[in-house]
């Protein structure tokens, strides 16, 4: 019984660690007529790896994206 409990605790801990290292793309804000700013935030160390992408908006989607650290 102790082994089962230990395995469940280990599995829960690993699931928590995996969910905290993911990233999420936030909303997009238009800048002028041609460009869009897309923010990426993560859960690792309260957003230590966040970036902002500036992309050109075209009819087929976003292109020519450039990134910057810690906007």
């Amino acid at each position: 019984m102790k082994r089962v409990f230990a395995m469940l605790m280990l599995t829960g801990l690993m699931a928590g660690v995996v969910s905290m290292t993911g990233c999420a793309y936030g909303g997009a804000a238009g800048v002028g007529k041609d460009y869009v700013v897309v923010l990426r935030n993560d859960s690792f160390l309260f957003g230590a790896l966040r970036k902002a992408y500036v992309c050109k908006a075209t009819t087929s989607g976003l292109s020519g994206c450039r990134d910057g650290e810690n906007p």
Side-chain angles (χ1 to χ4, degrees):
M1 185 67 174
K2 288 183 181 183
R3 268 191 151 186
V4 172
F5 183 70
M7 289 301 288
L8 286 174
M9 290 299 289
L10 181 63
T11 302
L13 180 65
M14 293 301 288
V17 168
V18 168
S19 69
M20 287 178 45
T21 59
C23 65
Y25 290 91
V31 178
K33 291 185 178 182
D34 294 335
Y35 291 98
V36 175
V37 176
V38 180
L39 299 177
R40 186 192 81 179
N41 198 2
D42 59 358
S43 302
F44 180 68
L45 292 176
F46 303 104
L49 301 176
R50 65 182 151 221
K51 288 187 178 182
Y53 295 95
V54 179
C55 304
K56 183 170 178 130
T58 62
T59 56
S60 61
L62 299 176
S63 65
C65 294
R66 296 173 295 203
D67 65 335
E69 296 179 0
N70 294 329

